[in-house]
Amino acid sequence: MDSQFVAVVGASPRNFWTTCAIHNLTTLNPALRVVPVTPNHSEIDGLATVPDVSALPGTPRAAIIAIRREAAVEAVRTLTLAGTRDIVVVTDGFVERGDAEGAVLQQELADIVQGTETRLWGPNCVGFADFSERICAVAEPVWLDADPGPVSIVSQSGALLSAFVASATQEGLGVDFCVSTGNGAVNAVPEALRIAVERDTTRVVCAYVEGIQPAQVKQLTDVFETARRLGKQIIVLKSGVSERGRKAVLSHTASIAGTDAVFSELLRTHGVLRADGVDEMMRLATLSLLGVKKGRDRAVSVLGGSGGAAALSSDLADRYGVRLTSFADSTIARIKALAGPGSLIDNPLDVIGVKRREGDESVNACVFSDPNTGLVLMPWSVQFPAETAHESIHTWNWGDLARLSAAHEMPLIITSMAPVPDTGFTRRYRREHPHVAVLDNLHLTFAALAKLFPAQSGERAGGAAHEETGVLSEADSREILAAAGVPVVGGVRVTRDTLSAADGLRPPFAVKVIAPVSHKMKIGGVLLGVPSHAALADAVDRIEKNVAESGVAADRIEGCLVEEMVFGRELLVGLNTDPVLGRYIVVGLGGSATEIANRSTTRLLPLHQDDAEALLAAAGVTGHLAAAAAISSLCEAFASAGFSQYQTIEVNPLIVGADACWAADAVVTLAPETGRDAR
């Protein structure tokens, strides 16, 4: 290390970039030799200068260049020939400018380093830092208190790099390597990710991506698969979701933002997590490092601790879709024997008046030893403890939790309900118990857990589909909608022996099971795009087989509903009954977009025609009289005494065509007091 040095080309006391670079290099590693390159000063910040790169005292380990673009290209040429390992080109004015000369110069940079061992970063970037090597060649203010650790950061934006490093430090994460790729003339996002993933000292890579070029897709998917093979996690935060964001991306780094939904699917396919913000990206990194108990499903057990913590945890788990553990029967029996009256023996756990607070037969130990648990979460409802006499019960509790976590090799999170100050105790606790994550902000923790421990689609205890009390079949639900004045798509009930009833319908068809199950798609009870009448027999056979295998009793399967398929804008229209506030309607994007977009508008009934039009407008449908009339009629019927026996009515989707609309799928449920057979 003593023989190595870093060159800063274009150094000047008035140059923001080089001033920051020199400060970062010398502050992170005072033993590192830094050589400013400038013909205008004999020394800068007490460091002797050389007039140009040809006068450097040997080959620098790295170089930072912040001079005009033509001169920057020549400096890169000289440094590459000398064998410099890393060159940072801070200089801008290349392809991001959109001029022909800038594009030619950037290509020249790429040609210079082609086939060499030199790694070129930029142009139009702020540099890199290798915390394990103690080199911070970043030309902007950066958080230098970061400890070396297992997280690397790749950012297409230089302006955000220091924020990512600071956020990682605030989260308590150690940083291994970070880099700003800028225009990525040679090492763009895919190459930078590969370099980070292949580092032995990196376990998680956080990446900020603005956009990629079509030619980079194969490189990107290859590095995703490399990370999966090596057991390393990549987490991506991507901008350019909105139209304005896409324009900003193009002007910033000349990258193409691409279609956001397709990009999300690419990440999902290759096991890459997507974060919705900087704080969530770092929380996902923490949880990825923590992992799940070996050999266990990804299911979270929550030690509620108090009624408020348990209730909030339940709400957050439901809101974000976190998979909660279904405790084994033996676990429940053990906890019941230890719990006092009024305890909630469920997950989240809310136990009061416990008979034993410590040891391997305590309530906490029951959860840590539960065979279905993959991770334990303790929401902390008061301030983080300090080592004072009146808080000794809390510090003892944390010590016992750490002991149980280690003994059972069970990952543990202790998270505050909101951001709270650290204490000397918590800082020491983190150092002594690295297998426990001490975090703040329960809300953020659940948002991140949902991406690592997602609730299974249609998941139910035992894995079998349940017949749902009070759920009417779709065939019956269609008739209720028609009676309320809502147009329904053409359809008939059939069985294997009465397929001729569908002869008057026009293909293609949607075929759906008639049974008291609301989520038919999840149990294989729906086939779309059945092309002809001749294909109906096979479709009915497949559906009835799927539904029977899901656990629905054969005598509850009445047959199938064959419907004509119609096409148009898909909306969700849901009516429900609140026990306090009464009846209301929800309108939003329908079909598969309902859960993805999570965009909807709610209104209490009664609903007027103007309100119906406003609801449609919020969902992107304007001036559609037929749809507004259908929604108004449905609301009027649902608010009437004649529909009082119904708890909910859901139409998903309501297909909105050019001048007509049709209910294509409907589920009606009975009010609990109705007590009528769901058939």
Side-chain angles (χ1 to χ4, degrees):
M1 178 67 72
D2 292 341
S3 63
Q4 289 187 333
F5 70 95
V6 176
V8 180
V9 183
S12 166
R14 295 182 298 276
N15 186 317
F16 169 80
W17 309 107
T18 60
T19 299
C20 289
I22 291 171
H23 170 80
N24 293 335
L25 288 163
T26 57
T27 303
L28 182 67
N29 186 359
L32 179 66
R33 185 182 178 192
V34 177
V35 180
V37 179
T38 175
N40 302 320
H41 304 275
S42 60
E43 69 171 45
I44 293 176
D45 286 344
L47 303 172
T49 69
V50 297
D52 55 58
V53 292
S54 63
L56 286 168
T59 299
R61 159 65 181 82
I64 301 168
I65 300 174
I67 53 180
R68 61 185 179 84
R69 61 185 184 176
E70 293 82 4
V73 172
E74 293 310 310
V76 168
R77 192 188 311 278
T78 301
L79 291 163
T80 301
L81 287 172
T84 305
R85 181 181 172 190
D86 287 281
I87 300 176
V88 173
V89 181
V90 179
T91 308
D92 63 0
F94 294 87
V95 296
E96 81 282 357
R97 288 272 186 92
D99 68 302
E101 185 178 356
V104 169
L105 289 171
Q106 180 160 312
Q107 184 59 51
E108 191 172 353
L109 286 174
D111 293 341
I112 289 169
V113 301
Q114 181 70 34
T116 72
E117 296 297 317
T118 295
R119 300 190 305 197
L120 179 75
W121 302 108
N124 187 30
C125 77
V126 299
F128 76 95
D130 188 324
F131 285 92
S132 62
E133 199 175 340
R134 295 179 58 76
I135 293 178
C136 185
V138 176
E140 71 176 2
V142 67
W143 198 267
L144 296 174
D145 290 337
D147 293 325
V151 177
S152 285
I153 300 167
V154 172
S155 176
Q156 207 164 0
S157 166
L160 293 179
L161 184 66
S162 61
F164 296 143
V165 175
S167 181
T169 304
Q170 181 69 25
E171 179 76 4
L173 295 166
V175 181
D176 185 28
F177 171 78
C178 67
V179 68
S180 148
T181 62
N183 292 2
V186 176
N187 290 310
V189 169
E191 293 84 1
L193 283 174
R194 177 186 55 78
I195 290 168
V197 163
E198 291 179 351
R199 289 174 65 93
D200 292 338
T201 43
T202 289
R203 291 173 56 197
V204 174
V205 181
C206 295
Y208 170 71
V209 178
E210 293 185 338
I212 57 173
Q213 302 292 342
Q216 296 173 332
V217 174
K218 178 63 166 58
Q219 296 171 282
L220 198 63
T221 55
D222 285 347
V223 76
F224 289 166
E225 287 307 307
T226 298
R228 179 140 58 181
R229 175 174 52 82
L230 295 175
K232 300 183 180 184
Q233 182 66 64
I234 296 176
I235 303 164
V236 169
L237 171 63
K238 183 180 181 296
S239 61
V241 176
S242 66
E243 181 60 30
R244 289 186 180 182
R246 285 191 288 273
K247 291 178 181 178
V249 163
L250 192 61
S251 66
H252 184 204
T253 56
S255 298
I256 300 173
T259 303
D260 190 64
V262 178
F263 187 78
S264 287
E265 177 59 18
L266 177 74
L267 300 184
R268 186 199 65 79
T269 301
H270 294 279
V272 177
L273 298 174
R274 181 166 185 180
D276 293 325
V278 177
D279 53 354
E280 186 180 279
M281 179 165 66
M282 297 309 166
R283 186 59 45 94
L284 282 168
T286 297
L287 299 181
S288 297
L289 291 168
L290 197 63
V292 65
K293 182 175 172 66
K294 189 174 181 180
R296 296 287 177 84
D297 288 338
R298 291 186 169 273
V300 180
S301 294
V302 182
L303 301 173
S306 73
L312 283 173
S313 296
S314 295
D315 290 344
L316 290 170
D318 184 67
R319 173 179 179 179
Y320 288 109
V322 175
R323 186 181 186 186
L324 297 180
T325 307
S326 294
F327 292 134
D329 291 343
S330 57
T331 302
I332 294 173
R334 290 170 62 200
I335 294 174
K336 282 183 177 178
L338 295 166
S343 296
L344 177 63
I345 315 300
D346 200 352
N347 189 16
L349 194 64
D350 184 11
V351 177
I352 58 177
V354 296
K355 300 175 183 176
R356 188 182 183 108
R357 291 187 174 273
E358 60 183 2
D360 293 332
E361 290 302 319
S362 64
V363 169
N364 286 349
C366 294
V367 175
F368 277 90
S369 62
D370 175 71
N372 298 334
T373 297
L375 176 144
V376 173
L377 170 66
M378 166 65 87
W380 196 251
S381 56
V382 295
Q383 66 189 32
F384 280 155
E387 291 179 292
T388 62
H390 67 279
E391 292 180 272
S392 61
I393 188 172
H394 289 159
T395 55
W396 172 88
N397 188 14
W398 281 40
D400 192 51
L401 289 168
R403 180 189 66 80
L404 289 169
S405 174
H408 293 277
E409 298 181 338
M410 178 67 70
L412 168 65
I413 300 169
I414 302 175
T415 181
S416 64
M417 309 297 285
V420 296
D422 255 349
T423 66
F425 170 79
T426 54
R427 288 189 285 271
R428 179 173 59 79
Y429 186 90
R430 287 189 182 96
R431 291 193 301 271
E432 294 178 355
H433 306 293
H435 56 289
V436 181
V438 179
L439 310 172
D440 64 16
N441 197 335
L442 184 68
H443 190 286
L444 177 61
T445 299
F446 268 100
L449 279 171
K451 297 180 178 180
L452 281 161
F453 293 75
Q456 304 299 297
S457 180
E459 182 179 43
R460 297 183 182 277
H466 285 194
E467 296 176 30
E468 297 166 79
T469 303
V471 176
L472 302 186
S473 72
E474 182 168 356
D476 290 339
S477 298
R478 279 168 48 94
E479 294 174 4
I480 292 167
L481 288 182
V486 179
V488 295
V489 298
V492 294
R493 302 174 187 241
V494 302
T495 65
R496 186 65 175 80
D497 300 324
T498 61
L499 293 175
S500 60
D503 287 349
L505 299 179
R506 169 184 49 81
F509 302 118
V511 184
K512 309 170 186 179
V513 69
I514 301 175
V517 178
S518 59
H519 297 288
K520 301 179 290 295
M521 184 74 76
K522 294 175 181 178
I523 60 172
V526 177
L527 286 176
L528 301 177
V530 178
S532 64
H533 291 87
L536 285 175
D538 180 61
V540 170
D541 287 345
R542 286 170 59 191
I543 285 174
E544 292 187 349
K545 180 175 181 292
N546 290 342
V547 176
E549 289 178 349
S550 76
V552 176
D555 64 349
R556 302 292 277 171
I557 303 173
E558 299 179 28
C560 286
L561 177 67
V562 178
E563 293 180 331
E564 295 178 341
M565 293 191 70
V566 295
F567 303 93
R569 185 70 175 271
E570 296 187 357
L571 300 181
L572 170 130
V573 178
L575 296 115
N576 208 331
T577 308
D578 182 88
V580 176
L581 301 176
R583 300 203 154 191
Y584 62 94
I585 182 173
V586 178
V587 176
L589 299 180
S592 60
T594 300
E595 295 179 359
I596 296 173
N598 194 26
R599 289 173 53 190
S600 62
T601 306
T602 302
R603 292 287 186 273
L604 285 167
L605 299 187
L607 191 79
H608 303 293
Q609 180 78 13
D610 290 347
D611 296 326
E613 293 175 3
L615 285 171
L616 287 168
V621 176
T622 57
H624 202 290
L625 298 180
I631 289 174
S632 298
S633 295
L634 185 57
C635 289
E636 183 178 354
F638 191 61
S640 69
F643 273 57
S644 61
Q645 72 269 37
Y646 305 126
Q647 177 79 8
T648 66
I649 297 177
E650 181 178 301
V651 183
N652 186 17
L654 178 73
I655 305 291
V656 180
D659 54 9
C661 68
W662 310 268
D665 200 320
V667 177
V668 177
T669 63
L670 297 171
E673 63 273 13
T674 301
R676 199 174 98 192
D677 184 356
R679 287 206 303 193

